[in-house]
Amino acid sequence: MTKVTLSDKLGLFYSHWDPHVVADYNGNDVMVVKFAGEFPFHHHETTDDFFLILEGEVVIDGEDGDSVTLRAGDLCVVPAGMTHRPRAKTEAKVLLIEPKGEPNTGDPATAAAKPRI
């Protein structure tokens, strides 16, 4: 067993849209990330996208025009295959859970490697 303090992990980096793996869970990466501005519309063909807002406010836009606003303590699961875009007017801190190896953009050609901290 290993204790992970999310606030400590979030203090180790300053970049936005750059998920960092903090734990492993049943074949999934548990990650922390900071959002600011808009991420491009994208989708994950075969996996859901899990967002838990730790701090701040995030809007997740669906390509169909639907949007959901999330604040600290809220979570949202975007179904596999649904085109979406997270955005935040000011910096937000978020916990993500994705299967190991799933690119954050849904496309391996455009996704950066996820560092482990």
Side-chain angles (χ1 to χ4, degrees):
M1 291 189 299
T2 303
K3 175 182 172 179
V4 175
T5 303
L6 298 177
S7 60
D8 290 351
K9 297 295 186 179
L10 283 157
L12 295 175
F13 65 95
Y14 299 96
S15 55
H16 296 116
W17 309 111
D18 182 20
H20 287 65
V21 178
V22 297
D24 302 306
Y25 175 74
N26 290 334
N28 294 289
D29 288 328
V30 178
M31 299 166 285
V32 290
V33 62
K34 296 176 182 179
F35 289 177
E38 294 182 352
F39 198 72
F41 275 103
H42 68 286
H43 71 277
H44 303 265
E45 195 65 42
T46 61
T47 64
D48 298 334
D49 217 354
F50 176 98
F51 300 87
L52 172 64
I53 310 309
L54 303 171
E55 186 178 307
E57 182 176 291
V58 172
V59 176
I60 300 179
D61 299 317
E63 188 178 49
D64 60 3
D66 273 351
S67 293
V68 62
T69 300
L70 306 169
R71 294 177 183 82
D74 292 339
L75 73 82
C76 180
V77 176
V78 177
M82 180 179 177
T83 301
H84 62 286
R85 167 186 69 188
R87 58 186 169 93
K89 286 184 182 177
T90 60
E91 186 175 83
K93 297 173 182 173
V94 181
L95 183 130
L96 305 172
I97 301 174
E98 293 178 344
K100 285 189 182 311
E102 178 66 20
N104 65 327
T105 62
D107 179 356
T110 60
K114 297 174 192 168
R116 178 174 293 277
I117 55 175

mmCIF file of all heavy atoms in Angstrom, residues 11-38:
data_model
loop_
_atom_site.group_PDB
_atom_site.id
_atom_site.type_symbol
_atom_site.label_atom_id
_atom_site.label_comp_id
_atom_site.label_asym_id
_atom_site.label_seq_id
_atom_site.Cartn_x
_atom_site.Cartn_y
_atom_site.Cartn_z
ATOM 1 N N GLY A 11 1.585 19.783 -7.023
ATOM 2 C CA GLY A 11 2.599 20.808 -6.810
ATOM 3 C C GLY A 11 3.924 20.526 -7.507
ATOM 4 O O GLY A 11 4.807 21.383 -7.527
ATOM 5 N N LEU A 12 4.060 19.352 -8.113
ATOM 6 C CA LEU A 12 5.307 18.972 -8.763
ATOM 7 C C LEU A 12 5.421 19.431 -10.215
ATOM 8 O O LEU A 12 6.481 19.274 -10.828
ATOM 9 C CB LEU A 12 5.482 17.448 -8.705
ATOM 10 C CG LEU A 12 5.646 16.847 -7.309
ATOM 11 C CD1 LEU A 12 5.682 15.316 -7.393
ATOM 12 C CD2 LEU A 12 6.906 17.379 -6.640
ATOM 13 N N PHE A 13 4.343 19.961 -10.776
ATOM 14 C CA PHE A 13 4.399 20.418 -12.169
ATOM 15 C C PHE A 13 3.470 21.616 -12.356
ATOM 16 O O PHE A 13 2.570 21.851 -11.567
ATOM 17 C CB PHE A 13 4.053 19.278 -13.142
ATOM 18 C CG PHE A 13 2.641 18.760 -13.039
ATOM 19 C CD1 PHE A 13 1.646 19.236 -13.880
ATOM 20 C CD2 PHE A 13 2.313 17.784 -12.099
ATOM 21 C CE1 PHE A 13 0.349 18.753 -13.793
ATOM 22 C CE2 PHE A 13 1.015 17.290 -12.009
ATOM 23 C CZ PHE A 13 0.039 17.784 -12.851
ATOM 24 N N TYR A 14 3.722 22.381 -13.420
ATOM 25 C CA TYR A 14 2.972 23.613 -13.676
ATOM 26 C C TYR A 14 2.291 23.616 -15.040
ATOM 27 O O TYR A 14 1.518 24.516 -15.342
ATOM 28 C CB TYR A 14 3.902 24.830 -13.557
ATOM 29 C CG TYR A 14 4.478 24.928 -12.172
ATOM 30 C CD1 TYR A 14 5.736 24.414 -11.882
ATOM 31 C CD2 TYR A 14 3.743 25.466 -11.130
ATOM 32 C CE1 TYR A 14 6.255 24.464 -10.601
ATOM 33 C CE2 TYR A 14 4.255 25.521 -9.841
ATOM 34 C CZ TYR A 14 5.506 25.023 -9.585
ATOM 35 O OH TYR A 14 6.002 25.057 -8.316
ATOM 36 N N SER A 15 2.574 22.628 -15.861
ATOM 37 C CA SER A 15 2.037 22.577 -17.222
ATOM 38 C C SER A 15 0.539 22.263 -17.201
ATOM 39 O O SER A 15 0.019 21.709 -16.239
ATOM 40 C CB SER A 15 2.784 21.516 -18.036
ATOM 41 O OG SER A 15 2.733 20.266 -17.364
ATOM 42 N N HIS A 16 -0.126 22.638 -18.293
ATOM 43 C CA HIS A 16 -1.554 22.360 -18.467
ATOM 44 C C HIS A 16 -1.737 21.290 -19.542
ATOM 45 O O HIS A 16 -0.931 21.170 -20.456
ATOM 46 C CB HIS A 16 -2.306 23.637 -18.854
ATOM 47 C CG HIS A 16 -2.247 24.669 -17.776
ATOM 48 N ND1 HIS A 16 -1.628 25.870 -17.948
ATOM 49 C CD2 HIS A 16 -2.700 24.645 -16.493
ATOM 50 C CE1 HIS A 16 -1.713 26.565 -16.827
ATOM 51 N NE2 HIS A 16 -2.349 25.838 -15.932
ATOM 52 N N TRP A 17 -2.818 20.532 -19.412
ATOM 53 C CA TRP A 17 -3.181 19.482 -20.371
ATOM 54 C C TRP A 17 -2.076 18.415 -20.460
ATOM 55 O O TRP A 17 -1.843 17.846 -21.518
ATOM 56 C CB TRP A 17 -3.501 20.064 -21.750
ATOM 57 C CG TRP A 17 -4.480 21.173 -21.681
ATOM 58 C CD1 TRP A 17 -4.239 22.486 -21.921
ATOM 59 C CD2 TRP A 17 -5.867 21.084 -21.318
ATOM 60 N NE1 TRP A 17 -5.380 23.222 -21.733
ATOM 61 C CE2 TRP A 17 -6.404 22.388 -21.357
ATOM 62 C CE3 TRP A 17 -6.711 20.032 -20.952
ATOM 63 C CZ2 TRP A 17 -7.730 22.667 -21.063
ATOM 64 C CZ3 TRP A 17 -8.038 20.326 -20.662
ATOM 65 C CH2 TRP A 17 -8.531 21.626 -20.724
ATOM 66 N N ASP A 18 -1.418 18.169 -19.351
ATOM 67 C CA ASP A 18 -0.269 17.268 -19.296
ATOM 68 C C ASP A 18 -0.475 16.274 -18.145
ATOM 69 O O ASP A 18 0.071 16.452 -17.063
ATOM 70 C CB ASP A 18 0.986 18.127 -19.082
ATOM 71 C CG ASP A 18 2.266 17.341 -19.055
ATOM 72 O OD1 ASP A 18 2.284 16.199 -19.553
ATOM 73 O OD2 ASP A 18 3.257 17.882 -18.517
ATOM 74 N N PRO A 19 -1.274 15.213 -18.348
ATOM 75 C CA PRO A 19 -1.577 14.292 -17.257
ATOM 76 C C PRO A 19 -0.334 13.574 -16.735
ATOM 77 O O PRO A 19 0.527 13.163 -17.519
ATOM 78 C CB PRO A 19 -2.556 13.286 -17.860
ATOM 79 C CG PRO A 19 -2.777 13.675 -19.267
ATOM 80 C CD PRO A 19 -1.919 14.837 -19.599
ATOM 81 N N HIS A 20 -0.282 13.437 -15.414
ATOM 82 C CA HIS A 20 0.804 12.733 -14.736
ATOM 83 C C HIS A 20 0.215 11.557 -13.965
ATOM 84 O O HIS A 20 -0.718 11.733 -13.177
ATOM 85 C CB HIS A 20 1.525 13.674 -13.777
ATOM 86 C CG HIS A 20 2.380 14.694 -14.451
ATOM 87 N ND1 HIS A 20 1.874 15.695 -15.257
ATOM 88 C CD2 HIS A 20 3.713 14.858 -14.441
ATOM 89 C CE1 HIS A 20 2.868 16.433 -15.703
ATOM 90 N NE2 HIS A 20 4.001 15.943 -15.219
ATOM 91 N N VAL A 21 0.772 10.382 -14.181
ATOM 92 C CA VAL A 21 0.301 9.172 -13.505
ATOM 93 C C VAL A 21 0.776 9.192 -12.054
ATOM 94 O O VAL A 21 1.965 9.371 -11.782
ATOM 95 C CB VAL A 21 0.807 7.907 -14.222
ATOM 96 C CG1 VAL A 21 0.347 6.649 -13.495
ATOM 97 C CG2 VAL A 21 0.351 7.889 -15.679
ATOM 98 N N VAL A 22 -0.179 8.974 -11.123
ATOM 99 C CA VAL A 22 0.156 8.954 -9.699
ATOM 100 C C VAL A 22 -0.098 7.591 -9.060
ATOM 101 O O VAL A 22 0.365 7.329 -7.956
ATOM 102 C CB VAL A 22 -0.593 10.056 -8.909
ATOM 103 C CG1 VAL A 22 -0.185 11.436 -9.402
ATOM 104 C CG2 VAL A 22 -2.103 9.876 -8.991
ATOM 105 N N ALA A 23 -0.840 6.720 -9.746
ATOM 106 C CA ALA A 23 -1.141 5.394 -9.193
ATOM 107 C C ALA A 23 -1.657 4.488 -10.303
ATOM 108 O O ALA A 23 -2.090 4.948 -11.361
ATOM 109 C CB ALA A 23 -2.185 5.501 -8.080
ATOM 110 N N ASP A 24 -1.616 3.190 -10.012
ATOM 111 C CA ASP A 24 -2.178 2.173 -10.898
ATOM 112 C C ASP A 24 -3.395 1.574 -10.217
ATOM 113 O O ASP A 24 -3.386 1.367 -9.000
ATOM 114 C CB ASP A 24 -1.153 1.052 -11.136
ATOM 115 C CG ASP A 24 0.135 1.590 -11.721
ATOM 116 O OD1 ASP A 24 0.071 2.276 -12.748
ATOM 117 O OD2 ASP A 24 1.197 1.322 -11.140
ATOM 118 N N TYR A 25 -4.431 1.288 -10.997
ATOM 119 C CA TYR A 25 -5.658 0.720 -10.436
ATOM 120 C C TYR A 25 -6.271 -0.244 -11.443
ATOM 121 O O TYR A 25 -6.771 0.192 -12.485
ATOM 122 C CB TYR A 25 -6.636 1.849 -10.081
ATOM 123 C CG TYR A 25 -7.982 1.367 -9.616
ATOM 124 C CD1 TYR A 25 -8.144 0.814 -8.353
ATOM 125 C CD2 TYR A 25 -9.092 1.455 -10.442
ATOM 126 C CE1 TYR A 25 -9.377 0.363 -7.926
ATOM 127 C CE2 TYR A 25 -10.325 1.004 -10.030
ATOM 128 C CZ TYR A 25 -10.465 0.458 -8.772
ATOM 129 O OH TYR A 25 -11.688 0.004 -8.352
ATOM 130 N N ASN A 26 -6.189 -1.534 -11.190
ATOM 131 C CA ASN A 26 -6.809 -2.559 -12.038
ATOM 132 C C ASN A 26 -6.565 -2.332 -13.529
ATOM 133 O O ASN A 26 -7.491 -2.342 -14.330
ATOM 134 C CB ASN A 26 -8.316 -2.626 -11.779
ATOM 135 C CG ASN A 26 -8.642 -3.196 -10.420
ATOM 136 O OD1 ASN A 26 -7.872 -3.969 -9.851
ATOM 137 N ND2 ASN A 26 -9.783 -2.814 -9.883
ATOM 138 N N GLY A 27 -5.321 -2.127 -13.895
ATOM 139 C CA GLY A 27 -4.994 -1.943 -15.309
ATOM 140 C C GLY A 27 -5.268 -0.546 -15.822
ATOM 141 O O GLY A 27 -5.252 -0.314 -17.028
ATOM 142 N N ASN A 28 -5.533 0.388 -14.918
ATOM 143 C CA ASN A 28 -5.799 1.772 -15.289
ATOM 144 C C ASN A 28 -4.727 2.686 -14.722
ATOM 145 O O ASN A 28 -4.127 2.395 -13.682
ATOM 146 C CB ASN A 28 -7.155 2.227 -14.748
ATOM 147 C CG ASN A 28 -8.300 1.488 -15.381
ATOM 148 O OD1 ASN A 28 -8.609 1.695 -16.543
ATOM 149 N ND2 ASN A 28 -8.922 0.592 -14.632
ATOM 150 N N ASP A 29 -4.513 3.812 -15.386
ATOM 151 C CA ASP A 29 -3.681 4.886 -14.861
ATOM 152 C C ASP A 29 -4.585 5.860 -14.111
ATOM 153 O O ASP A 29 -5.606 6.308 -14.653
ATOM 154 C CB ASP A 29 -2.995 5.658 -15.991
ATOM 155 C CG ASP A 29 -1.888 4.880 -16.665
ATOM 156 O OD1 ASP A 29 -1.226 4.074 -15.976
ATOM 157 O OD2 ASP A 29 -1.671 5.095 -17.873
ATOM 158 N N VAL A 30 -4.214 6.177 -12.875
ATOM 159 C CA VAL A 30 -4.862 7.241 -12.123
ATOM 160 C C VAL A 30 -3.933 8.443 -12.265
ATOM 161 O O VAL A 30 -2.738 8.352 -11.958
ATOM 162 C CB VAL A 30 -5.062 6.867 -10.640
ATOM 163 C CG1 VAL A 30 -5.691 8.013 -9.879
ATOM 164 C CG2 VAL A 30 -5.906 5.604 -10.522
ATOM 165 N N MET A 31 -4.475 9.555 -12.768
ATOM 166 C CA MET A 31 -3.638 10.702 -13.118
ATOM 167 C C MET A 31 -4.187 11.988 -12.544
ATOM 168 O O MET A 31 -5.392 12.115 -12.323
ATOM 169 C CB MET A 31 -3.591 10.844 -14.644
ATOM 170 C CG MET A 31 -3.014 9.645 -15.346
ATOM 171 S SD MET A 31 -3.344 9.664 -17.120
ATOM 172 C CE MET A 31 -5.072 9.205 -17.127
ATOM 173 N N VAL A 32 -3.286 12.941 -12.339
ATOM 174 C CA VAL A 32 -3.686 14.305 -12.028
ATOM 175 C C VAL A 32 -3.240 15.186 -13.183
ATOM 176 O O VAL A 32 -2.241 14.911 -13.858
ATOM 177 C CB VAL A 32 -3.107 14.802 -10.683
ATOM 178 C CG1 VAL A 32 -3.759 14.081 -9.517
ATOM 179 C CG2 VAL A 32 -1.598 14.676 -10.625
ATOM 180 N N VAL A 33 -4.003 16.239 -13.398
ATOM 181 C CA VAL A 33 -3.731 17.139 -14.522
ATOM 182 C C VAL A 33 -4.285 18.518 -14.165
ATOM 183 O O VAL A 33 -5.210 18.632 -13.360
ATOM 184 C CB VAL A 33 -4.384 16.586 -15.819
ATOM 185 C CG1 VAL A 33 -5.886 16.496 -15.694
ATOM 186 C CG2 VAL A 33 -3.990 17.392 -17.049
ATOM 187 N N LYS A 34 -3.710 19.532 -14.776
ATOM 188 C CA LYS A 34 -4.211 20.898 -14.626
ATOM 189 C C LYS A 34 -4.784 21.340 -15.964
ATOM 190 O O LYS A 34 -4.150 21.142 -17.010
ATOM 191 C CB LYS A 34 -3.086 21.832 -14.188
ATOM 192 C CG LYS A 34 -2.535 21.479 -12.819
ATOM 193 C CD LYS A 34 -1.359 22.353 -12.440
ATOM 194 C CE LYS A 34 -0.814 21.919 -11.087
ATOM 195 N NZ LYS A 34 0.344 22.727 -10.697
ATOM 196 N N PHE A 35 -5.978 21.895 -15.922
ATOM 197 C CA PHE A 35 -6.637 22.409 -17.122
ATOM 198 C C PHE A 35 -6.624 23.929 -17.076
ATOM 199 O O PHE A 35 -6.874 24.523 -16.022
ATOM 200 C CB PHE A 35 -8.116 21.993 -17.167
ATOM 201 C CG PHE A 35 -8.404 20.541 -17.425
ATOM 202 C CD1 PHE A 35 -9.727 20.105 -17.414
ATOM 203 C CD2 PHE A 35 -7.422 19.611 -17.669
ATOM 204 C CE1 PHE A 35 -10.043 18.773 -17.643
ATOM 205 C CE2 PHE A 35 -7.719 18.282 -17.903
ATOM 206 C CZ PHE A 35 -9.050 17.859 -17.898
ATOM 207 N N ALA A 36 -6.389 24.564 -18.199
ATOM 208 C CA ALA A 36 -6.567 26.009 -18.370
ATOM 209 C C ALA A 36 -6.720 26.251 -19.863
ATOM 210 O O ALA A 36 -5.923 25.753 -20.657
ATOM 211 C CB ALA A 36 -5.396 26.801 -17.808
ATOM 212 N N GLY A 37 -7.764 26.984 -20.237
ATOM 213 C CA GLY A 37 -8.053 27.191 -21.649
ATOM 214 C C GLY A 37 -8.893 26.043 -22.187
ATOM 215 O O GLY A 37 -9.659 25.430 -21.445
ATOM 216 N N GLU A 38 -8.742 25.772 -23.474
ATOM 217 C CA GLU A 38 -9.535 24.729 -24.133
ATOM 218 C C GLU A 38 -8.645 23.615 -24.660
ATOM 219 O O GLU A 38 -7.595 23.878 -25.236
ATOM 220 C CB GLU A 38 -10.305 25.304 -25.329
ATOM 221 C CG GLU A 38 -11.365 26.293 -24.976
ATOM 222 C CD GLU A 38 -12.116 26.796 -26.206
ATOM 223 O OE1 GLU A 38 -11.720 26.493 -27.350
ATOM 224 O OE2 GLU A 38 -13.105 27.508 -26.001
#
